Amino acid sequence: MRNPLVLSVLLSAGVLAGSPLANAANSLVFCSEGSPAGFDTAQYTTATDNDAAEPIYNRLAEFEKGGTAAGPALATRWDISEDGLTYTFHLRDGVKFHTTKWFTPTRNFNADDVLFTFNRMLNPEHPFRKAYPTEFPYFTGMSLDKNIASVEKTDPMTVVMKLNSVDAAFIQNLAMSFAAILSAEYADQLLKTGKPSDINQKPVGTGPYVFQRYQKDSNIRYAANKDYWDPSQVKLDNLIFSINVDASARMQKLRKNECQVSLSPRPADVAALKADPKLQVIEKPGFNLGYIAYNVQHKPFDQLQVRQALDMAVNKDEILKAVYQGAGQKAVNAMPPTQWSYDETIVDAPYNPEKAKELLKAAGVKEGTEITLWAMPVQRPYNPNAKLMAEMLQSDWGKVGLKVKIVSYEWGEYIKRTKNGEHDISLIGWTGDNGDPDNWLGTLYSCDAIGGNNYSMWCDKDYDALVKKAKTVTDRDQRTVLYKQAQQLLKQQVPITPIAHSTVNQPLSAKVEGFKVSPFGRNAFSGVSLKD
């Protein structure tokens, strides 16, 4: 027979288990690597910004945890017309926007919020956009501003989006961070009070955690959303991002349990982390690319011979050993080999400093010519040590007669300036966002992506025609043929030098449960908990 006291405790636990926040009895600290520029995800493309906004928002569709398939979220389902041009989204009922110190919603999520979110990006004359002028690099970089013909509601819980041409990756795109659904009611309040930019610094969403406060270069604090539409995903009372640029400092905090999840260890630290019984390290093949971007709008990089010379003067093998230390694979192509449509026939030009010298001379580049090489100030999964890589490239290109000056800025400033094309050459990289080839070949190298993620400022009409056509075809085999032709053309024109695809090592406390490593490099904490 059970002890009555034990039975009473068990009954109490059963009652609690049925409540929305039964497991939210603790706090988790995430050691992140940089300060976000803001929380209005439509404005930003970096993982630092997207990670910081991830707990706050939902989208119409969202990716499965740890996978690439997109499924229902704020839309419970969608219908697609036979011609592939009309999408009808049926919205989730009963979803509440966050209540904060600066906003108290008077209604639940509905179609008006979807219309505000997308029409702000579509319409330059939108009242909110005119009051708070911003750019939307993902939206325009993927030509959604040109392809979405209209966004309308047929009733309070149904939205119809019409396209000008078929987009085979449309649902995948809508599951990305830039498509986070914002509150139209909050936007109206901000317009009336004359503070529209607060949408970026005082965010309001429908996500599992509510934004509390942000101290740049220090921390971001979130609290559990007690009204979340999927209570099973809220298992923490508090979520804290502790911002630490230095990888060693992050690992030290992790070992001391000052944070329970950390980002991007140095390759040299991985073995020790794996040996620590208080930690776990999840290892995954990287769906990423670290590369060199040549600004073709700056002389002498507008000349193909110069880009070819720089490319063949890079000693990739030595960089792979020193920078990636066994946790990387040499890259020869503009996207990773795990991406469908990857062209395996493409090969690198051999490492050949002498031939590089000849090409530079033929292009009229004099010995001692000064160029600038921009090195990222942060550690990213695709580049664990940009400073060291820059120093090695400085040496490589010095051997062919160039004088290389290394430049760096704070991460937000670095991204802003490279998007503006202020660099000669920049070290940059990408982790895939949605599993579709267009997220590489269109998002990074198309004409529309200049000013967004096309850091080479390269625009080739033949290449552009191929990637645009591939988006309008739904048959994967046909798309693959087009994407392989595009990859061949890009390799011939050398707007970039691919360096490596790195292995992702995700260190976290052994107490953490439910954390999934995203192939897209997202750090999401819905459904994550800590063992008692």
Side-chain angles (χ1 to χ4, degrees), residues 61 67 112 117 163 185 229 257 272 406 414:
D112 290 336
T117 297
L163 306 183
E185 186 183 16
W229 53 269
N257 199 37
I406 298 173
Y414 184 92

Side-chain angles (χ1 to χ4, degrees), residues 122-382:
L122 274 172
N123 180 12
E125 299 302 312
H126 190 281
F128 195 91
R129 183 161 170 187
K130 290 184 79 173
Y132 178 47
T134 53
E135 300 298 323
F136 305 106
Y138 256 130
F139 195 70
T140 55
M142 294 188 293
S143 301
L144 290 174
D145 58 325
K146 297 182 178 70
N147 198 31
I148 297 178
S150 64
V151 183
E152 298 173 344
K153 65 177 180 179
T154 55
D155 63 55
M157 299 307 290
T158 309
V159 171
V160 177
M161 293 192 189
K162 292 185 178 179
L163 306 183
N164 291 315
S165 59
V166 174
D167 183 348
F170 189 59
I171 294 296
Q172 300 287 109
N173 291 340
L174 294 190
M176 291 165 57
S177 295
F178 79 90
I181 302 299
L182 306 174
S183 165
E185 186 183 16
Y186 180 45
D188 286 342
Q189 175 185 302
L190 294 176
L191 278 182
K192 287 172 184 173
T193 56
K195 298 178 179 178
S197 63
D198 277 3
I199 205 166
N200 192 29
Q201 299 301 329
K202 293 182 176 179
V204 170
T206 60
Y209 291 93
V210 182
F211 175 82
Q212 300 291 294
R213 61 184 182 274
Y214 167 39
Q215 185 177 346
K216 189 177 180 182
D217 299 327
S218 178
N219 64 78
I220 314 168
R221 292 181 176 269
Y222 314 81
N225 178 5
K226 297 180 181 180
D227 296 317
Y228 192 54
W229 53 269
D230 185 357
S232 67
Q233 299 305 302
V234 186
K235 299 186 176 183
L236 302 163
D237 279 335
N238 299 288
L239 175 63
I240 301 160
F241 280 32
S242 175
I243 299 165
N244 304 268
V245 174
D246 183 69
S248 298
R250 292 197 298 271
M251 296 312 113
Q252 190 175 13
K253 286 191 172 187
L254 185 67
R255 289 191 178 100
K256 291 180 177 179
N257 199 37
E258 291 176 12
C259 62
Q260 290 74 47
V261 180
S262 188
L263 189 72
S264 305
R266 297 179 306 175
D269 292 336
V270 171
L273 294 169
K274 287 181 176 178
D276 190 328
K278 299 192 296 298
L279 303 178
Q280 52 181 318
V281 179
I282 304 171
E283 184 177 301
K284 293 252 179 166
F287 191 54
N288 58 42
L289 170 68
Y291 63 95
I292 303 165
Y294 305 109
N295 185 348
V296 302
Q297 294 183 7
H298 280 200
K299 293 184 179 297
F301 315 105
D302 57 334
Q303 297 184 69
L304 176 59
Q305 281 182 311
V306 173
R307 302 195 300 273
Q308 288 173 328
L310 291 168
D311 179 77
M312 67 178 60
V314 175
N315 192 333
K316 286 190 189 179
D317 290 334
E318 290 304 311
I319 288 174
L320 217 64
K321 286 178 194 172
V323 176
Y324 294 86
Q325 298 185 23
Q329 170 189 356
K330 188 192 293 186
V332 298
N333 209 339
M335 59 186 187
T338 46
Q339 173 65 66
W340 64 266
S341 81
Y342 180 89
D343 191 341
E344 296 181 354
T345 68
I346 289 176
V347 294
D348 267 340
Y351 172 60
N352 192 337
E354 291 307 314
K355 175 70 173 176
K357 283 182 184 178
E358 293 173 14
L359 287 173
L360 289 172
K361 187 176 181 181
V365 178
K366 295 178 181 178
E367 190 164 343
T369 294
E370 291 190 11
I371 61 174
T372 61
L373 169 61
W374 289 32
M376 301 182 304
V378 297
Q379 185 184 24
R380 302 299 306 145
Y382 51 73

